[in-house]
Amino acid sequence: MRVFIVPAGNPRTKPRALNAGLMLARGELVTVYDAEDRPSPDQLRRAATRFAAAGPDLACLQARLVVANGADGLLQRLFGLFDNLQPGAVRLGLPLPRGGTSNHFRADLLRRAGGWDAFNVTEDADLGLRLARFGFAIGDLPSTTAERAEPSRRAWFNQRRRWTKGWMQTALVLARGGAARDLGVRGSVAVALMMVNLVGGPLFAPVALPLLLIHLARAGLPTPGTAIELCEATLAASVFALGVATPVWCGYAGCRARGLSPGITLAMVLPYQMMIACAAWGGLIDLVRRPHHWRKTPHTVAPNGRGRPVNRSSP
């Protein structure tokens, strides 16, 4: 074991620390864990076995994150990315942002892709899409890592605020050109829909949801709507489907997969999405005012029976 202190400098972000560690890494495989993670004991061995049996273009394996305290509250239950979206995208061969922890890389391919973007505050999203642009394969590792979702609403809000800002940064990088050529038609459409889900939906939800309710209330009227009203209704329905219904359904399916009571998640559709919308607008303000500032999230180690949880800060 070696503890390495990252030299002073800017930006003070997790991806900059990861790049410093990558320069010192001597093995063929590189794995990222957060300090509070509790991975399955055989996860490293399973990842190494998968890499040994796979082709040379497999660049990354993403393990599945499990919220260890998912039964503690509503915010912790709505976390279904690694149980649903990730395995489905891998089966379909579609690009998808990686998680920020429990991901395993071939060191040489990671270096060829340029490592992590030190200025992106969701370095996992940027790297996952960049690996896809290089033509490297990304796989799903059916091994779990337990971590705690913070019950504090303030911590949750700041974390989502940073995530949304990072997704906006990633979208701006993709918009600079060449992404459509690198990803192909299917990949480009998937990424575009994903950005609508992650960025467009939360930003426009405060406007789109009231519009959708208004047009639903008018649906019984005999007079046809104008072209503008039709466009408004179409936009509102699209934002609801891609930016509201989809993530809530993933949370619902994730609860069922983990044996948690999922019914309450459907009742949280509007309140939860309004909270996401507030975080998204906060992320947009941060993108303009402090584009590379990393809003840290306090974490506690998942209890393992050998002592009390320890307060930590990430990164």
Side-chain angles (χ1 to χ4, degrees):
M1 302 289 292
R2 177 182 179 186
V3 177
F4 175 70
I5 306 300
V6 179
N10 290 310
R12 296 176 62 84
T13 59
K14 173 182 175 180
R16 179 173 178 267
L18 291 175
N19 284 330
L22 182 61
M23 290 191 299
L24 302 177
R26 295 175 295 175
E28 296 180 6
L29 303 178
V30 172
T31 296
V32 177
Y33 286 123
D34 283 344
E36 72 276 8
D37 287 349
R38 289 292 180 265
S40 297
D42 64 343
Q43 187 174 117
L44 291 177
R45 186 178 297 276
R46 294 182 66 179
T49 302
R50 283 282 302 277
F51 276 117
D57 64 335
L58 178 61
C60 175
L61 289 172
Q62 173 70 64
R64 301 180 184 182
L65 300 183
V66 178
V67 177
N69 58 333
D72 291 350
L74 297 175
L75 293 179
Q76 294 90 316
R77 296 184 185 184
L78 295 170
F79 192 81
L81 170 66
F82 297 97
D83 275 333
N84 300 285
L85 288 181
Q86 176 185 287
V90 169
R91 284 195 297 268
L92 294 173
L94 299 176
L96 188 74
R98 300 295 87 198
T101 179
S102 296
N103 38 37
H104 309 261
F105 301 95
R106 288 192 194 274
D108 58 337
L109 299 187
L110 178 59
R111 292 189 176 98
R112 283 174 56 186
W116 290 270
D117 182 354
F119 292 90
N120 193 311
V121 296
T122 52
E123 80 294 338
D124 44 3
D126 172 82
L127 180 58
L129 298 180
R130 185 152 28 93
L131 290 173
R133 293 185 65 177
F134 271 77
F136 299 146
I138 299 174
D140 171 56
L141 183 65
S143 176
T144 60
T145 295
E147 67 173 18
R148 288 176 57 84
E150 293 309 308
S152 165
R153 288 188 293 272
R154 182 180 180 87
W156 178 93
F157 181 84
N158 285 332
Q159 186 181 56
R160 296 311 186 276
R161 186 170 179 170
R162 173 174 62 83
W163 287 358
T164 307
K165 181 175 72 171
W167 294 330
M168 294 176 187
Q169 290 175 322
T170 302
L172 291 174
V173 170
L174 293 174
R176 290 191 304 189
R181 179 189 65 249
D182 298 335
L183 297 173
V185 176
R186 292 178 71 250
S188 299
V189 171
V191 170
L193 292 175
M194 177 188 65
M195 288 302 170
V196 171
N197 181 297
L198 298 176
V199 178
L203 286 177
F204 291 105
V207 176
L209 292 181
L211 281 177
L212 180 62
L213 294 176
I214 291 172
H215 285 285
L216 288 176
R218 293 178 178 176
L221 298 178
T223 55
T226 64
I228 295 179
E229 291 176 338
L230 181 61
C231 291
E232 288 179 353
T234 302
L235 175 62
S238 300
V239 170
F240 179 81
L242 294 175
V244 179
T246 300
V248 171
W249 173 253
C250 288
Y252 177 86
C255 287
R256 294 188 61 182
R258 294 291 171 181
L260 301 173
S261 176
I264 192 65
T265 61
L266 296 182
M268 282 290 293
V269 171
L270 291 181
Y272 184 75
Q273 290 306 315
M274 289 304 101
M275 292 169 64
I276 290 286
C278 292
W281 280 99
L284 180 60
I285 293 172
D286 284 349
L287 180 64
V288 175
R289 299 181 60 185
R290 308 174 73 185
H292 308 304
H293 173 68
W294 189 287
R295 288 185 176 271
K296 293 185 178 182
T297 304
H299 288 287
T300 54
V301 177
N304 57 8
R306 293 192 298 269
R308 294 181 300 172
V310 179
N311 290 325
R312 296 194 184 275
S313 179
S314 174

